[in-house]
Each structure stands twice: as structure tokens, then as C-alpha cells.
Amino acid sequence: MTKNYVPLRVNRDFGDIINTYFDFFKRNIKKFTNVFISYNGIFLIGLLVASYLMVSGILGLIEIENNFGIETTNEEDFYIPMAIGGGLFFIIFVMVGALNYGLSTSYMVLYDNDPNESFQKKDVWAYTKSHMGSIILFILLLFVIYIGFLIVSIFFLIIPIVGSLAQYVLQFFISAWVGVSFFEMLQNKKPVGAALSEGWNLVKNNFWRSVGVNFVMGLLLFILLMLMMTVPGVLFGIYTFHVVENSVSLTSNVVATVIYTICLTLALIVLIYGQCLTQFVNGILYYTLHEKTYNINTRKRIEQIGEDLNNA
């Protein structure tokens, strides 16, 4: 076991789960980011293209809006690239979601199985690729799950105050259930249905701990992501001020398109990376709940102590 290795299979209370997450995050941020960049490269290029198309369309429509009263027959020229960019973004986002759900979970599974931390990024990709069929099926089922969640949320929102609170509790419960189930699927190589069933039992039996961890960590990660957004945000704000002050043409100025495209692309990358960080939260939660339920690591330690006493 390497120095400062963070064991995952420990029955932790609420506060320890939060502390363990940040310990794991600090120790693994550099190594996982390397994995993230290595296997998301082609998709990041695709996001850049999608961002360019959407920005081109949006800037064109803004230009037309600001010149209200001037006849134009070219609105379709801006709607088309915006629609193509939006469609391309949706496809890439789904593919990236499946990939990074798999990469972040596989990374943690290999970390748990290798206290010496000798696994490499190629091992993370190989583990993810070996479960790609189950990952795709799981992601497809998520659409059904979240459609059901949206329908239920509409009914909750009809009820003042209490309904809104119930909607948030349900949201964090589903986030915990989905994340824990995904870990169960990859960790124990279970079919999707069996993994969802086991994840449901683990989260349901530890309802408030699961909801609370996702709420607190969701809030903290939101603040972290907002801090990461300051780079594209500041760049966007400064250049927008320049555009307004100098009446710069949005459609004919290449610099405007490039800057806004870079800002949008960086914002999307931050959101995708944040998805991985959220899955790490559910990873810590999964190993905690699994150990609380099955005591696998505790039994191993007891057996090792027994063996040591017999050999003494």
C-alpha cells in the first residue's frame, strides 16, 4: 500500500464521507485529469466544432435583432448552423456522458483493487471498454428514469413549499441511486437490472445519509465549478464590454466568433469534468454503504488478525 493511500471500503459516517472525498480528490486529481484529457480529446474537438456552429448562429440572430427594421431574408442562414450545432452537441454530450461515467467509475474500481496505485490510464480505458455494452444500456435507461423523475416533479411542484422540498429530496435520492448502481455494475460485473436493484436497496436503507451526501457535495461542487467557470466568464464579460462600447459587428468579426466559441467550449468542458467529480462522490458513498451492509473489508481484517495470531 502506498503512503497516503485512501482506503475506500470503510463504514464512514456523514462527515467522514465528505472528508474522505476531498482526500481522494486531492490525491487523484492530477492522475485522473490525465485520463480525462487523454480519452476525451476527440470529443473535445467535436465540442469545439459544435460550439462554433451554435455561436455563429446565435451571434447572427443577435445582429439581426439589434438591427430591427432592416429587411433581411437570411435568418435561415443562422438558424441552420445553430440547429446543427445543437444537435451535434446533444449527440456528443450523450457519448461523453457514457464515456466519463465509465472512466471515473473504472478509475475508482481500479484504485480500490490496487492499494499500490500502480494502474495506468490505459488500464482505466481497458476496464471501461470491457463494460461498454452495459454502460450504454445503463445510460439509455437513465433517459427513462429521468423522464419519470420530471413527470413526478411536475406533480410535486403543484404543492407549495413542501412539494418543492420533496422534489429536491427525490432529485438527490435518484442521483445517489443511479451513481451507486453504476458502481455496483462495474465493481461486481452485474447486469444492469441487478445493479439497479442492489443500488436501490443500498440507498433506500441509508436514505438520509445518501440524500445528505449528494446535497452537501452537490452544493460544494457547484461552488467549485463556478470558480472554474471564472476563466471563460471573465473572458466573455471583458470582450462583450468591448463589443458594446465599440459597436463591433458580431457576424463580420472573426475575433468575436473565436472568443465566444472558446468561452462556450471551456464552459462545456467544465460541466463534463464536473460530472466525473460528482460520480466520485457516489463512489465514496457506494463503498461506504457496501461495507456497512456486507462488512467485506472488516471480515478480511479479522481473518488477517487470526492468521497473524496463529503464526505467532
Side-chain angles (χ1 to χ4, degrees):
M1 181 182 296
T2 58
K3 184 181 179 181
N4 297 325
Y5 175 80
V6 181
L8 301 179
R9 293 184 180 274
V10 179
N11 180 14
R12 297 180 168 91
D13 60 23
F14 182 87
D16 284 339
I17 292 175
I18 306 298
N19 292 331
T20 300
Y21 174 83
F22 285 108
D23 289 340
F24 178 85
F25 178 78
K26 288 186 293 184
R27 181 161 180 78
N28 291 273
I29 181 66
K30 183 177 180 180
K31 188 173 182 178
F32 178 75
T33 301
N34 187 24
V35 174
F36 177 84
I37 294 174
S38 297
Y39 295 107
N40 281 274
I42 188 170
F43 293 111
L44 299 183
I45 294 173
L47 283 177
L48 187 64
V49 174
S51 298
Y52 172 78
L53 292 172
M54 287 191 291
V55 166
S56 298
I58 292 171
L59 292 184
L61 292 174
I62 291 174
E63 187 96 329
I64 292 174
E65 184 69 22
N66 288 337
N67 288 280
F68 181 79
I70 299 177
E71 293 186 4
T72 178
T73 58
N74 297 321
E75 283 193 34
E76 300 81 7
D77 295 338
F78 300 116
Y79 279 117
I80 292 174
M82 188 170 65
I84 294 174
L88 181 60
F89 165 73
F90 178 77
I91 294 172
I92 292 175
F93 191 79
V94 172
M95 296 174 67
V96 166
L99 174 64
N100 288 293
Y101 230 55
L103 288 176
S104 55
T105 304
S106 297
Y107 183 95
M108 253 183 145
V109 170
L110 294 178
Y111 181 89
D112 173 62
N113 293 333
D114 183 10
N116 294 318
E117 302 181 71
S118 58
F119 64 95
Q120 303 297 321
K121 62 183 180 181
K122 64 180 181 180
D123 300 317
V124 178
W125 166 244
Y127 197 89
T128 302
K129 186 170 63 173
S130 67
H131 295 82
M132 192 56 71
S134 297
I135 291 172
I136 293 173
L137 178 58
F138 193 97
I139 296 299
L140 292 176
L141 285 175
L142 285 187
F143 284 101
V144 179
I145 292 172
Y146 278 103
I147 288 173
F149 165 69
L150 289 175
I151 294 173
V152 174
S153 296
I154 293 173
F155 287 103
F156 276 145
L157 292 176
I158 296 175
I159 307 172
I161 303 177
V162 176
S164 297
L165 293 175
Q167 187 266 340
Y168 281 116
V169 171
L170 178 62
Q171 174 184 330
F172 293 122
F173 173 82
I174 290 178
S175 178
W177 171 43
V178 168
V180 167
S181 298
F182 198 86
F183 266 94
E184 176 69 15
M185 182 179 72
L186 265 64
Q187 175 73 58
N188 296 318
K189 300 178 176 61
K190 285 188 176 181
V192 176
L196 286 169
S197 177
E198 177 66 12
W200 177 272
N201 291 329
L202 289 173
V203 174
K204 182 190 67 174
N205 294 334
N206 300 273
F207 183 86
W208 290 112
R209 188 188 305 193
S210 301
V211 170
V213 166
N214 270 267
F215 167 71
V216 172
M217 289 308 305
L219 180 61
L220 294 176
L221 286 178
F222 174 77
I223 295 173
L224 176 62
L225 293 178
M226 289 301 100
L227 291 175
M228 295 171 68
M229 287 282 194
T230 54
V231 175
V234 169
L235 181 61
F236 177 88
I238 292 175
Y239 191 75
T240 299
F241 178 80
H242 167 74
V243 167
V244 174
E245 285 294 309
N246 296 280
S247 301
V248 176
S249 173
L250 295 175
T251 53
S252 61
N253 192 309
V254 177
V255 176
T257 303
V258 170
I259 289 180
Y260 287 134
T261 297
I262 292 174
C263 290
L264 180 57
T265 303
L266 289 175
L268 294 176
I269 291 172
V270 169
L271 290 177
I272 293 169
Y273 190 76
Q275 178 192 31
C276 299
L277 301 185
T278 300
Q279 186 60 354
F280 283 154
V281 173
N282 286 314
I284 303 294
L285 179 63
Y286 166 75
Y287 288 110
T288 296
L289 300 184
H290 200 273
E291 182 63 22
K292 178 178 181 292
T293 304
Y294 298 106
N295 294 312
I296 294 176
N297 193 43
T298 303
R299 290 175 184 174
K300 285 183 178 179
R301 290 184 177 180
I302 293 174
E303 291 173 359
Q304 288 175 352
I305 293 174
E307 292 176 358
D308 293 340
L309 292 175
N310 291 333
N311 294 330

